[in-house]
Amino acid sequence: MTTPTILVVDDDRSIVKLCQRLLERASFQVLASTDPFEALKILEVHRVDLLLTDIRMPVMDGFELIERGKALQPDLAVLVMTGFGTVDTAIQALYRGVDGLILKPFENTAGLVEAVQRVLTYARQKQEAARAQVLKPLFDITETLLAETSLQTLEKLIQNAIIGIFQCEYVGVIQREGQGKGGNLIVGHMLPRQLDKDVWEKLFRILIEHDSTSILIHQTGPGNAELQKILRLAGWTSLMVTFINRGGREFIFLAGRSSPAQPYTSADLDLFTMLARQAAVALENARLYTDLKDYIRRVEESQQALVQAEKMAAVGRLVASLAHEINNPLQSLQNCLHLALRADLDPEQRSHYLNLTETELNRLIQTVRRMLEFYRPSSHERTPIQLAKAVQHVVDLMRSEIRSRGVEVSLNIPEDAEISGLEDQIQQVFFNLILNALDAVEASETKRIWVECVSHENEWVITVEDSGPGVPSEIRNRIFEPFISTKKNGTGLGLAVSYGIIEAHGGTLALIPGKYGQGACFEIRFPKEEGLDA
């Protein structure tokens, strides 16, 4: 704690020397003068905690000295000395903002020191009371700031909070890149548009180059002369500045007042610093929240792109096997139309060929539609999904591939098995698992795939098992990692993408021991619709 500084002013030199000697003996720092005008010059240069002054002095009344002194240093505590201890004098002293009164001559030397200590204590208590008076609204505002996650809204809230609490016309929040390295004005009320450009640039430069200690300065009184000149040019009576470092970023908060109201006090600066700290925390939280939202959006976009890329890779592998699914109806269409257009054909035969044409055309349309539905990107809107229908759609799409490889697919899924989700993504999972199973049974004597679903408590448990050789033990624990594949030309993305899709739907995907042999068995657990976390 710093030693209080006391300014003693009395036109009686002997009183001044007596007070100086007694107070220095009590370990106070003492400045002394017999001239009130000289005392004011001292107050313009030196920070003083207490003014000890006589009331009646020939060149200037003590009350005038007090008034002018408080204009220079609003926090100045005042103890007056007088040889005229009347009630009127005491009332006038209280009216003028005096903190204590002591009669001359002093009854004992200890009385002066006790009076000074009492006034200093009283002055501190007044400052604490002033702080406490605004703490409640400050806490309320802090709660509002910390709850806001929109940077744009938060910046407006900070601006309004500073204006409301500290009754200032000018508010600024600067994000400094480093001492002397520049910065950006992120909140500016009446800055710099209501200031002369040169004035604002000078103020900005001083703040950017400042050493991060808080600033409390008025047009007159002790302080940085260059800043005081800027205040006079700007028409400001008082300025508070505090520097807050948060999350590796430094913020400069400033509040300027041009109204004739009471200049800012040290209590105001303490509260301003408290508010600035909370505002900096709120700004950092809002920035992190914004960054997190952007990151999640990018991840979702990347995941969606990955899903589509894997889907297209899988579709590419089916193109050859699906070619005759499209070519056969096209050939039938051509033949039927050729026959139907023959001039010598009777109406009954022509109708027969046209009906065949329609049948093959519908078959072709259904094949193309299944392909389009499988490729179509998700709408991101969850809908009820019947698992039996979704899996059947995938099997129908792969029917040609399944037949060409001689694989038997057994489906056992209850009709009431229903979940909520993105249908195209769920189909993508089963497409990946069944396609992997088809590859796995390629060299097996018994080419079988089992897709089964059972109800278990609040979950639907689906297994996709094949009769292949199973997953090698060395990669079983890494099977869902990207680019891990048992196939020579596999991308290693199918299972990774599927794992992400199932997790996004609140489910789980795991490799478990098989029920029918040594082949791979993948288990999917979906929460039932009422338990799904939307």
Side-chain angles (χ1 to χ4, degrees):
M1 185 175 179
T2 58
T3 303
T5 299
I6 299 169
L7 173 60
V8 180
V9 184
D10 196 305
D11 60 327
D12 187 334
R13 190 174 298 276
S14 62
I15 294 293
V16 170
K17 288 187 175 181
L18 173 63
C19 292
Q20 186 173 11
R21 185 171 65 253
L22 295 175
L23 293 173
E24 286 178 344
R25 191 183 299 167
S27 301
F28 291 107
Q29 292 184 9
V30 180
L31 302 171
S33 177
T34 58
D35 183 357
F37 291 100
E38 183 184 34
L40 289 173
K41 290 181 179 180
I42 292 173
L43 289 172
E44 289 178 353
V45 178
H46 298 282
R47 293 283 181 188
V48 174
D49 297 288
L50 183 142
L51 172 63
L52 175 60
T53 181
D54 190 15
I55 292 179
R56 296 194 175 184
M57 293 180 289
V59 294
M60 182 186 295
D61 180 76
F63 289 125
E64 183 182 349
L65 174 61
I66 293 168
E67 183 177 350
R68 295 174 65 175
K70 277 187 170 289
L72 293 170
Q73 300 193 31
D75 288 318
L76 189 64
V78 178
L79 174 62
V80 297
M81 303 177 289
T82 181
F84 303 92
T86 64
V87 174
D88 289 341
T89 302
I91 292 174
Q92 188 177 7
L94 289 173
Y95 179 76
R96 296 296 185 95
V98 172
D99 301 299
L101 186 146
I102 186 171
L103 297 178
K104 296 190 297 184
F106 310 128
E107 292 183 3
N108 55 69
T109 55
L112 174 64
V113 175
E114 290 175 0
V116 167
Q117 290 174 335
R118 186 167 56 249
V119 168
L120 287 172
T121 300
Y122 175 64
R124 283 194 296 271
Q125 290 173 345
K126 281 202 306 183
Q127 290 180 357
E128 293 300 326
R131 291 187 181 96
Q133 188 175 4
V134 295
L135 279 179
K136 177 60 169 63
L138 180 62
F139 290 150
D140 292 341
I141 289 172
T142 295
E143 186 176 350
T144 302
L145 296 182
L146 293 177
E148 183 55 58
T149 56
S150 166
L151 275 172
Q152 187 174 4
T153 304
L154 180 61
E155 289 166 1
K156 190 70 175 178
L157 285 174
I158 291 171
Q159 171 186 299
N160 293 340
I162 295 174
I163 293 172
I165 292 177
F166 299 102
Q167 301 299 304
C168 52
E169 295 89 359
Y170 301 90
V171 174
V173 180
I174 299 168
Q175 183 179 330
R176 187 163 72 170
E177 298 170 2
Q179 186 177 343
K181 294 182 179 180
N184 298 308
L185 183 70
I186 59 176
V187 176
H189 180 66
M190 307 290 281
L191 292 175
R193 62 185 172 85
Q194 292 297 329
L195 288 181
D196 180 81
K197 182 180 178 182
D198 290 339
V199 173
W200 166 246
E201 288 179 352
K202 289 177 182 177
L203 175 60
F204 188 85
R205 176 182 53 79
I206 290 175
L207 298 180
I208 291 298
E209 295 176 355
H210 194 68
D211 62 2
S212 297
T213 56
S214 296
I215 299 171
L216 175 61
I217 194 166
H218 316 295
Q219 273 196 20
T220 55
N224 184 295
E226 188 176 5
L227 263 179
Q228 288 181 324
K229 181 180 179 182
I230 290 174
L231 260 61
R232 287 191 289 272
L233 290 172
W236 295 2
T237 58
S238 195
L239 171 67
M240 292 188 297
V241 183
T242 189
F243 298 79
I244 307 295
N245 197 305
R246 182 71 188 177
R249 301 195 305 164
E250 189 171 19
F251 298 96
I252 305 174
F253 290 78
L254 69 92
R257 177 184 285 173
S258 61
S259 64
Q262 179 73 17
Y264 290 124
T265 65
S266 59
D268 292 324
L269 179 60
D270 290 343
L271 289 168
F272 184 55
T273 301
M274 289 175 61
L275 177 60
R277 287 197 187 104
Q278 298 305 311
V281 171
L283 285 169
E284 183 64 14
N285 290 346
R287 182 185 67 83
L288 291 173
Y289 180 79
T290 301
D291 290 348
L292 180 60
K293 282 204 306 184
D294 291 341
Y295 174 75
I296 291 173
R297 177 183 54 79
R298 290 195 299 271
V299 168
E300 289 177 345
E301 290 175 353
S302 298
Q303 182 181 10
Q304 186 64 24
L306 195 61
V307 168
Q308 290 303 116
E310 174 60 18
K311 185 179 294 186
M312 288 305 298
V315 169
R317 297 177 57 191
L318 286 177
V319 167
S321 62
L322 285 173
H324 76 274
E325 286 285 344
I326 297 174
N327 187 58
N328 287 346
L330 283 176
Q331 290 293 333
S332 297
L333 278 171
Q334 186 181 35
N335 291 334
C336 289
L337 286 173
H338 174 73
L339 293 171
L341 292 174
R342 286 177 54 182
D344 60 341
L345 203 66
D346 61 68
E348 185 178 348
Q349 286 181 313
R350 181 174 286 108
S351 176
H352 172 69
Y353 287 131
L354 288 176
N355 287 335
L356 287 176
T357 300
E358 184 180 13
T359 300
E360 292 302 311
L361 183 60
N362 286 332
R363 177 182 165 193
L364 180 61
I365 290 171
Q366 289 299 321
T367 301
V368 173
R369 183 176 295 163
R370 286 200 299 269
M371 290 291 292
L372 290 176
E373 286 177 354
F374 182 79
Y375 173 71
R376 185 182 298 118
S378 172
S379 65
H380 297 290
E381 293 182 4
R382 293 193 174 194
T383 57
I385 303 170
Q386 292 180 334
L387 290 175
K389 184 178 178 182
V391 175
Q392 187 64 57
H393 179 86
V394 172
V395 172
D396 289 343
L397 181 66
M398 304 174 72
R399 183 69 65 189
S400 175
E401 180 83 356
I402 292 169
R403 281 202 307 263
S404 67
R405 297 194 187 194
V407 179
E408 181 183 347
V409 178
S410 174
L411 298 182
N412 185 11
I413 302 175
E415 292 296 327
D416 63 340
E418 187 174 287
I419 64 170
S420 178
L422 307 176
E423 187 164 11
D424 72 315
Q425 291 193 4
I426 297 301
Q427 288 177 353
Q428 169 71 29
V429 172
F430 287 110
F431 189 100
N432 288 341
L433 294 178
I434 294 173
L435 191 59
N436 285 346
L438 284 175
D439 290 338
V441 302
E442 185 72 27
S444 301
E445 292 183 6
T446 304
K447 298 181 179 182
R448 293 200 59 183
I449 298 172
W450 298 269
V451 183
E452 300 178 348
C453 176
V454 296
S455 175
H456 180 72
E457 296 180 352
N458 293 322
E459 294 178 314
W460 290 110
V461 181
I462 306 105
T463 55
V464 179
E465 185 177 352
D466 63 64
S467 60
V471 179
S473 58
E474 62 269 19
I475 66 168
R476 290 181 69 88
N477 294 332
R478 302 169 56 210
I479 193 65
F480 297 111
E481 294 180 13
F483 312 114
I484 299 297
S485 177
T486 60
K487 294 175 283 188
K488 183 178 179 181
N489 298 317
T491 63
L493 291 175
L495 288 176
V497 168
S498 299
Y499 189 90
I501 291 173
I502 298 301
E503 276 206 331
H505 282 75
T508 60
L509 174 61
L511 178 65
I512 64 170
K515 175 180 174 182
Y516 297 101
Q518 300 300 316
C521 182
F522 290 92
E523 178 191 75
I524 303 172
R525 289 179 176 265
F526 280 121
K528 292 183 179 177
E529 188 172 358
E530 61 271 16
L532 184 63
D533 183 10

